[in-house]
Amino acid sequence: MIIESSKQVSRNHLFKRFPIPTNFGVTKESRVDRGKAWPVPAEATRTKSFEIYRYDPDSGRGPHVDTFEVDLDDCGPMVLDALIWIKSKVDSTLTFRRSCREGVCGSCAMNMDGTNWLACTRFISEMESPARIYPLANMKIIKDLVPDLTHVFAQYAAIEPWLQSKTPTPERERRQSVEERSQIDGYYECILCFCCTSGCPSHWWNGNRFLGPAVLLQAWRWLTDSRDEAAEERLDKLEDPFRLYRCHTILNCTRACPKGLNPGKAIAHIKKTMIERQS
């Protein structure tokens, strides 16, 4: 199933019936404690509780969860609106990334009620009560809801994500037929929010060597582009026991993509191409 809308994300999770304790098996430094509970806004008639992960490495305090009461009549309809409302009217130290507010930049990717998505495209009405907001998993946290993306962008740079050609530069553009152009549909739309990579168990286990679904989808975007002339060199760089083949087709990546793309399919295409060139 390709997820095209947050409404399609299942609300039925096994571990909600059989929950694992929040701090199960973690070190003392990583324990998530209860933080401050902010009061309900005065004269508010419609409110919603938000439990938000907080962590400031400069404070010397470990991670904790603060509870905020958001006045829904004084706030926009999206989760990002709620975060901006909290930062503007309750706690100005709350830190998160955001930019376009249109599901284009990927800046506001975070984990909401256990699902990776974009805060600007997730409706508050779709959230549980209390709504639980955490940063993307499997990444170092700079502060609060801001993950350190240095490593995943370094992996992205490793695939050389730009057009490479060997023939002389034409006087005009490099032309494609309609059919050739359609081959990159479903791949060029990736906004590098890394919701898929954060939700990939294989990247949790081998993130230092496995490139992850977002980067591999981008790799296929260039491999399938008829204008690119470096397919063999690109495949040579992916021919590695870990860079490509640590994908076990779990397909959490496809389920987590807020743009409705299919990284699992892109990875399968790369594997198929690897086999075809060996035969």
Side-chain angles (χ1 to χ4, degrees):
M1 175 181 178
I2 307 303
I3 305 298
E4 297 180 351
S5 164
S6 57
K7 293 181 180 180
Q8 295 176 259
V9 178
S10 173
R11 296 294 183 264
N12 299 316
H13 301 287
L14 174 63
F15 291 114
K16 288 188 178 181
R17 293 186 60 193
F18 306 99
I20 295 176
T22 301
N23 293 315
F24 180 79
V26 302
T27 62
K28 181 180 178 181
E29 295 76 12
S30 298
R31 288 183 176 274
V32 181
D33 299 322
R34 300 301 303 181
K36 182 175 180 179
W38 294 82
V40 177
E43 301 181 0
T45 58
R46 279 197 320 129
T47 64
K48 188 176 184 69
S49 297
F50 280 78
E51 294 183 353
I52 300 179
Y53 178 95
R54 307 298 304 276
Y55 173 64
D56 182 358
D58 296 331
S59 69
R61 182 182 179 183
H64 54 282
V65 173
D66 285 355
T67 303
F68 299 89
E69 301 294 336
V70 175
D71 184 354
L72 298 180
D73 293 322
D74 189 38
C75 175
M78 301 298 182
V79 171
L80 181 59
D81 293 319
L83 294 175
I84 294 173
W85 186 91
I86 292 169
K87 185 174 180 68
S88 300
K89 301 195 175 185
V90 182
D91 185 355
S92 62
T93 66
L94 177 63
T95 306
F96 53 90
R97 287 193 181 104
R98 53 103 175 181
S99 184
C100 72
R101 297 171 62 100
E102 297 292 340
V104 175
C105 71
S107 299
C108 62
M110 55 190 72
N111 186 283
M112 294 166 280
D113 284 342
T115 303
N116 292 345
W117 211 260
L118 302 177
C120 64
T121 60
R122 172 63 62 84
F123 283 97
I124 296 174
S125 60
E126 297 176 341
M127 300 291 289
E128 296 185 358
S129 188
R132 294 178 174 86
I133 313 294
Y134 282 74
L136 291 178
N138 191 40
M139 296 185 184
K140 294 181 179 179
I141 304 304
I142 297 175
K143 185 180 179 183
D144 294 345
L145 302 176
V146 179
D148 187 350
L149 302 178
T150 302
H151 176 62
V152 287
F153 271 111
Q155 291 184 313
Y156 175 58
I159 66 166
E160 300 181 355
W162 55 82
L163 190 69
Q164 299 182 35
S165 61
K166 301 174 184 177
T167 56
T169 303
E171 294 182 2
R172 300 184 65 182
E173 69 274 6
R174 297 181 185 274
R175 295 185 176 182
Q176 287 182 301
S177 67
V178 174
E179 182 179 354
E180 288 172 337
R181 168 58 184 79
S182 69
Q183 295 304 305
I184 65 173
D185 286 342
Y187 307 110
Y188 80 91
E189 300 95 330
C190 174
I191 58 175
L192 294 174
C193 64
F194 295 104
C195 282
C196 60
T197 299
S198 168
C200 173
S202 293
H203 200 265
W204 303 345
W205 305 324
N206 301 287
N208 60 329
R209 297 178 68 181
F210 175 52
L211 292 179
V215 173
L216 290 174
L217 180 142
Q218 289 286 339
W220 178 249
R221 176 256 179 274
W222 292 106
L223 283 167
T224 196
D225 193 324
S226 63
R227 298 167 296 178
D228 191 84
E229 300 170 349
E232 288 300 316
E233 292 84 348
R234 294 184 187 278
L235 290 171
D236 287 340
K237 292 179 180 179
L238 295 176
E239 187 71 75
D240 179 90
F242 280 85
R243 287 188 175 185
L244 170 64
Y245 292 105
R246 287 306 97 180
C247 171
H248 298 299
T249 324
I250 300 170
L251 296 182
N252 275 12
C253 55
T254 299
R255 188 169 187 79
C257 180
K259 301 297 288 184
L261 308 183
N262 192 339
K265 180 180 178 181
I267 295 171
H269 279 310
I270 297 175
K271 291 179 178 178
K272 181 182 177 182
T273 303
M274 287 286 195
I275 294 172
E276 289 175 344
R277 78 165 185 161
Q278 292 172 0
S279 59

